[in-house]
């Protein structure tokens, strides 16, 4: 029965006033008198007795006006509150926030808004149900469904879902999965061909060779003519952790001093770091090293702009070759003697690239997994392409360029974040050849934190797609052979830079988890198990010590495809994130070159006084202040580990779907699969959180 809202008593004015009184007398001679109200003589006069209909109408209108004014006032306050929330929290007007926190805040506010809208909808439904009388279970018109009704309804919904899933969802997933499987097989064949080529190089002992006798001479004057003029560039930006060891390693390179010039290209925006680097450069200059310091006021074009600015100096025309080392690279003293002689009697050679070696490859599980990928890249991809094609992507560092090749190819351009790959492609289109030296290794670091590694991978995968859009017309219209054009377009860009992240993300991160909920589109076991394991086995071959990490490597690479796919899309469609350049965080790990420079650090403090004598008083005070801050600086506090739930959850879902697909025929219980997934996850991916920060 619905409630009755009667407001007649509220409007009536002729209600009795006062409290009824009952008087009982103990004396039986008196009777009981019951007084219902005050006597007429004491009853107040009813003031509404003389009102007419017009007065009553005005009173009602006045009450309605007050009610409408109250409602309007409440609505105005509520609307102003919503407007303030919209300005302050949604559009961030008057609020300064970091860009990194902005996305998380938007997601949080979206969740809050959805919750509020849902709450209001539920409240409106409750009000309607109350006035309809649905809350009163004794209402004869109210039908309460029983258990059988609910079960039949759920059964109908489930049958409808099965029909829709089998007729519409499963065919679409099957078609997409077949397309991705074809791409997967093509990329696997390419990996196998590269691996076979690497084995052939090892078997035949094919490698570039030089004539060492051309550099051997006891005559000092004659040796001066044997050694060409070499320029070494060290681009850096706020590299406080590694600037000292990098400059020290480069200054110890064995090459005639009069034939060598070192450029320290500093883009740091921190004045304290600038003074530290200046001091280091001045220290080595006092020791007789030809080294100069160059700083840009406006940091445009990032690394490409820095190198372009350095190559525009007038004295560069006196040099024939330029070697480039990033701030964390530490070459051996014989680096130039192992690379520059390859240019002799080879006028078509434009680049000699050395291999990277990592001082912190065993620091944690993340560095070990990166070592697996990079070892395959240098040992297999770079070496095979260098031997059979004389072309590969320049790695941006640990390489020696012929300056003439740089100038004829257009020099450094600031149009992408992969300036190294850009200049390599343009030099290849101009007919220059490359040589890769797998035996010449330069020590460097790999990112030790997941956040730094993810940002690095985003730049490495968004830049090539951005470059592909820019270089495609030039590749088609170039004068190189059709085979080289096909290699650039189909293999170098499409297969290894676009298809790889696309099928890896789509097949293993979307289709495979969906097979848990759509069994009609189940993938075969050889796609989700045998071929990926075999490909992982091939990738680990160049680094055999990494075999115990094959399971974490397989899972981690599949989950990292989310980041790589996102970067590929942003570069292909010219999104804003494709222009982001985040410097990879360095830690300054010790190396062999550091050990060589350790004996010289004691004399450095003595020579520091000689450096300061040539400085002004303001420079002396600034240097003393910086050195004091450096001495009393507290040790950095280790940050708390940060588990990236998205990647770990995706890896867990991927592993569970894989095991389920493999063992579903044997009827294994789902909870057993869940236990297996948790076990492998703890053994493999959870170790990544040791150094995440």
């Amino acid at each position: 029965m619905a409630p009755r809202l009667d407001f007649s008593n509220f409007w009536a004015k002729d209600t009795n006033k006062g409290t009824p009184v009952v008087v009982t007398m103990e004396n039986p001679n008196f009777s009981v008198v019951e007084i219902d109200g005050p006597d007429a003589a004491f009853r107040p006069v009813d003031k509404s007795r003389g009102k007419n209909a017009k007065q009553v109408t005005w009173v009602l209108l006045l009450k309605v006006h007050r009610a409408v004014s109250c409602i309007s006032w409440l609505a105005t306050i509520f609307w102003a509150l919503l407007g303030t929330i919209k300005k302050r929290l949604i559009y961030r007007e008057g609020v300064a926030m970091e860009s990194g926190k902005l996305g998380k805040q938007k997601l949080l506010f979206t969740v809050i808004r959805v919750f509020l809208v849902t709450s209001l909808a539920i409240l409106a439904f409750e009000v309607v149900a109350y006035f309809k009388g649905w809350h009163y279970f004794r209402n004869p018109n109210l039908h309460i469904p029983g258990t059988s009704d609910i079960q039949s309804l759920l059964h109908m919904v489930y049958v409808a879902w099965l029909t829709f899933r089998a007729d519409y969802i499963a065919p679409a997933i099957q078609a997409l999965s077949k397309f991705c499987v074809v791409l997967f097989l093509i990329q696997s064949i390419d990996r196998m061909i590269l691996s076979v080529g690497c084995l052939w190089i090892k078997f035949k002992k094919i490698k570039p060779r030089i004539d060492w006798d051309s550099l051997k001479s006891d005559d000092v004057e004659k040796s001066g003519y044997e050694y060409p003029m070499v320029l070494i560039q060290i681009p850096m930006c706020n590299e406080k952790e590694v600037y000292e060891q990098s400059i020290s390693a480069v200054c110890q390179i064995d090459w005639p001093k009069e034939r060598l010039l070192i450029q320290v290209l500093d883009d740091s925006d921190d004045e304290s770091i600038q003074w530290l680097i200046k001091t280091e450069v001045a220290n080595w200059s006092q020791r007789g090293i030809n080294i100069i310091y160059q700083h840009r006021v406006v940091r445009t074009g990032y690394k490409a702009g820095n190198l372009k600015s350095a190559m525009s100096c007038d004295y560069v025309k006196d040099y024939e070759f330029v070697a480039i080392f990033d701030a964390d690279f530490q070459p051996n003293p014989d680096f130039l003697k192992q690379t520059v002689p390859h240019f002799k009697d080879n006028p078509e050679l434009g680049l000699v690239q050395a291999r990277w070696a990592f001082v912190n490859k065993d620091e944690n599980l993340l560095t070990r997994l990166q070592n697996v990928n990079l070892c395959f890249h240098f040992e297999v991809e770079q070496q095979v392409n260098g031997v059979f094609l004389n072309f590969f992507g320049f790695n941006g560092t640990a390489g020696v360029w012929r300056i003439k090749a740089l100038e004829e190819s257009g020099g450094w351009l600031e149009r992408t974040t992969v300036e190294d790959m850009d200049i390599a492609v343009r030099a290849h289109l101009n007919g220059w050849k490359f040589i890769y030296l797998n035996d010449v290794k330069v020590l460097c670091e790999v990112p030790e934190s997941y956040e730094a590694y993810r940002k690095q991978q985003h730049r490495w995968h968004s830049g090539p797609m951005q470059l592909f859009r820019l270089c495609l017309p030039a590749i088609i219209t170039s004068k190189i052979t059709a085979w080289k054009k096909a290699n650039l377009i189909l293999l170098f860009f499409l297969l290894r830079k676009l298809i790889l992240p696309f099928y890896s993300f789509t097949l293993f991160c979307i289709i495979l988890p969906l097979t848990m909920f759509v069994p009609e589109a189940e993938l075969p076991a050889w796609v989700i198990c045998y071929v990926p394991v075999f490909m992982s086995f091939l990738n680990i071959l160049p680094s055999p010590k990494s075999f115990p990490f094959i399971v974490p490597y397989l899972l981690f690479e599949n989950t990292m495809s989310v980041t790589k796919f996102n970067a590929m899309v942003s570069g292909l469609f010219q999104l804003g994130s494709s222009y982001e350049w985040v410097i990879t965080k360095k830690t300054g790990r010790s190396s062999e070159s550091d050990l060589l420079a350790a004996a010289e650090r004691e004399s450095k403090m003595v020579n520091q006084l000689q450096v300061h004598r040539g400085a002004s008083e303001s420079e002396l005070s600034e240097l003393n202040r910086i050195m004091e801050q450096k001495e009393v600086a507290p040790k950095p506090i280790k940050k708390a580990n940060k588990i990236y739930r998205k990647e770990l959850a995706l890896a867990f879902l991927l592993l569970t779907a894989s095991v389920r697909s493999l063992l579903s025929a044997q009827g294994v219980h789902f909870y057993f699969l869940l236990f297996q997934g948790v076990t492998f996850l703890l053994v493999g991916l959870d170790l990544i959180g040791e150094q995440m920060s």
Side-chain angles (χ1 to χ4, degrees), residues 535-677:
M535 289 296 104
S536 301
F537 179 79
L538 290 180
N539 290 346
I540 292 180
L541 275 181
S543 54
K545 294 183 179 180
S546 302
F547 270 102
F549 308 102
I550 185 171
V551 174
Y553 171 76
L554 178 60
L555 293 175
F556 184 71
E557 280 302 302
N558 286 328
T559 54
M560 275 302 299
S561 62
V562 179
T563 299
K564 297 176 181 179
F565 179 79
N566 181 29
M568 182 267 293
V569 172
S570 65
L572 187 63
F573 295 100
Q574 299 290 311
L575 302 180
S577 58
S578 62
Y579 296 93
E580 293 179 355
W581 181 283
V582 181
I583 299 175
T584 305
K585 184 66 176 179
K586 315 294 192 314
T587 57
R589 298 292 179 183
S590 60
S591 62
E592 296 176 1
S593 59
D594 291 331
L595 296 177
L596 295 175
E600 300 178 0
R601 291 182 179 176
E602 294 182 0
S603 62
K604 182 182 295 186
M605 299 304 298
V606 177
N607 295 330
Q608 191 73 29
L609 296 176
Q610 299 178 359
V611 176
H612 290 172
R613 289 175 184 175
S616 62
E617 295 183 358
S618 60
E619 292 176 345
L620 286 174
S621 59
E622 183 68 20
L623 289 173
N624 292 331
R625 182 182 64 84
I626 295 174
M627 295 304 296
E628 291 176 359
Q629 293 179 355
K630 187 177 180 180
E631 293 177 357
V632 302
K635 294 182 179 180
I637 301 176
K638 187 177 181 180
K639 297 181 180 179
N641 292 339
K642 187 185 299 182
I643 304 297
Y644 288 80
R645 297 180 179 86
K646 181 180 69 174
E647 282 73 16
L648 293 178
L650 185 57
F652 172 76
L653 184 61
L654 172 65
L655 182 62
T656 305
S658 302
V659 178
R660 176 192 177 277
S661 300
L662 289 176
L663 302 180
S664 59
Q666 286 76 13
V668 180
H669 201 265
F670 178 79
Y671 291 105
F672 172 75
L673 302 180
L674 193 63
F675 173 78
Q676 292 291 332

Side-chain angles (χ1 to χ4, degrees), residues 177-196:
S177 63
K178 290 179 180 179
F179 177 69
C180 292
V181 167
V182 172
L183 298 179
F184 179 36
L185 294 178
I186 294 175
Q187 197 271 338
S188 301
I189 294 174
D190 175 65
R191 287 292 179 98
M192 292 180 62
I193 294 176
L194 290 175
S195 300
V196 172

Side-chain angles (χ1 to χ4, degrees), residues 421-485:
M421 185 180 295
D422 188 3
I423 187 63
V425 171
R426 286 185 281 116
H428 181 59
L429 295 179
N430 281 274
W432 292 99
K433 295 181 179 180
F434 302 164
I435 286 181
Y436 173 75
L437 303 178
N438 191 55
D439 297 333
V440 181
K441 300 180 180 180
V442 181
L443 295 175
C444 62
E445 294 183 15
V446 290
E448 296 183 7
S449 66
Y450 178 76
E451 186 67 22
Y453 174 67
R454 187 168 61 175
K455 292 178 180 179
Q456 181 194 70
Q457 291 299 308
H458 186 277
R459 186 177 76 249
W460 285 5
H461 286 81
S462 64
M465 288 295 96
Q466 187 180 6
L467 178 63
F468 177 65
R469 290 172 54 98
L470 299 173
C471 290
L472 183 59
I475 294 174
I476 297 175
T477 58
S478 63
K479 298 180 180 180
I480 60 176
T481 62
W483 159 247
K484 292 183 178 181
K485 292 182 181 180

Side-chain angles (χ1 to χ4, degrees), residues 60-74:
L60 293 177
L61 290 176
L62 181 61
K63 292 181 179 295
V64 171
H65 181 266
R66 290 179 179 176
V68 172
S69 300
C70 182
I71 295 174
S72 176
W73 179 73
L74 293 176

Side-chain angles (χ1 to χ4, degrees), residues 42-338:
F42 301 97
R43 187 176 299 169
V45 180
D46 192 358
K47 297 181 180 181
S48 62
R49 183 177 303 172
K51 291 182 179 180
N52 53 23
K54 186 175 182 179
Q55 290 176 332
V56 173
T57 303
W58 279 107
V59 171
L60 293 177
L61 290 176
L62 181 61
K63 292 181 179 295
V64 171
H65 181 266
R66 290 179 179 176
V68 172
S69 300
C70 182
I71 295 174
S72 176
W73 179 73
L74 293 176
T76 303
I77 294 178
F78 182 71
W79 188 259
L81 180 62
L82 289 180
T84 304
I85 294 174
K86 186 176 181 180
K87 291 180 180 179
R88 299 283 293 178
L89 301 184
I90 300 177
Y91 294 109
R92 306 298 195 276
E93 293 186 6
V95 180
M97 299 182 65
E98 297 180 1
S99 60
K101 298 180 180 179
L102 195 59
K104 298 180 180 179
Q105 295 288 346
K106 285 185 177 180
L107 178 60
L108 177 60
F109 296 143
T110 302
V111 174
I112 293 176
R113 282 185 293 176
V114 171
F115 175 76
L116 290 177
V117 172
T118 306
S119 301
L120 291 176
I122 295 175
L123 179 61
F125 178 76
E126 290 290 340
V127 172
V128 173
Y130 180 79
F131 284 104
K132 291 290 186 179
W134 294 345
H135 67 288
Y136 189 66
F137 290 99
R138 294 183 180 181
N139 188 354
N141 297 325
L142 181 64
H143 174 69
I144 302 176
T147 305
S148 59
D149 297 333
I150 296 177
Q151 291 179 351
S152 61
L153 179 61
L154 294 177
H155 179 70
M156 292 175 58
V157 172
Y158 183 68
V159 171
W161 157 248
L162 291 179
T163 305
F164 179 79
R165 186 180 71 184
D167 295 341
Y168 299 99
I169 298 180
I173 296 178
Q174 286 283 10
L176 183 60
S177 63
K178 290 179 180 179
F179 177 69
C180 292
V181 167
V182 172
L183 298 179
F184 179 36
L185 294 178
I186 294 175
Q187 197 271 338
S188 301
I189 294 174
D190 175 65
R191 287 292 179 98
M192 292 180 62
I193 294 176
L194 290 175
S195 300
V196 172
C198 182
L199 292 176
W200 179 259
I201 293 173
K202 296 291 185 182
F203 178 73
K204 292 292 185 178
K205 297 181 180 180
I206 303 174
K207 63 179 181 179
R209 301 183 184 276
I210 58 176
D211 184 11
W212 291 99
D213 296 333
S214 62
L215 293 177
K216 294 180 180 179
S217 177
D218 296 332
D219 188 357
V220 178
E221 295 182 357
K222 183 178 179 181
S223 64
Y225 292 101
E226 293 291 341
Y227 291 91
M229 299 288 287
V230 179
L231 177 68
I232 297 181
Q233 297 177 337
I234 311 176
M236 59 178 61
C237 180
N238 297 326
E239 305 285 359
K240 185 178 181 181
E241 296 81 8
V242 295
Y243 78 92
E244 188 174 1
Q245 63 187 25
S246 177
I247 296 176
S248 175
V250 172
C251 290
Q252 296 180 52
I253 289 181
D254 185 11
W255 200 258
K257 296 180 180 179
E258 67 276 4
R259 316 293 292 179
L260 181 67
L261 177 63
I262 302 173
Q263 285 182 319
V264 179
L265 310 176
D266 184 25
D267 267 2
S268 303
D269 53 7
D270 190 337
E271 293 184 0
S272 61
I273 299 178
Q274 295 176 21
W275 279 105
L276 290 174
I277 299 176
K278 285 182 181 179
T279 304
E280 186 70 16
V281 171
N283 185 20
W284 285 102
S285 179
Q286 289 290 327
R287 301 184 187 186
I289 303 298
N290 293 328
I291 183 172
I292 59 175
Y293 175 86
Q294 183 172 331
H295 178 265
R296 293 193 304 163
V297 179
V298 181
R299 184 174 176 252
T300 58
Y302 302 110
K303 182 181 176 181
N306 199 0
L307 295 174
K308 182 179 180 181
S309 175
M311 294 299 295
S312 63
C313 298
D314 294 335
Y315 54 81
V316 174
K317 64 178 180 295
D318 299 329
Y319 293 85
E320 188 177 357
F321 305 103
V322 56
I324 303 173
F325 299 100
D326 284 348
D328 59 317
F329 279 72
Q330 306 160 42
N332 293 327
D334 60 346
F335 175 81
L336 291 181
K337 290 186 176 181
Q338 291 182 328

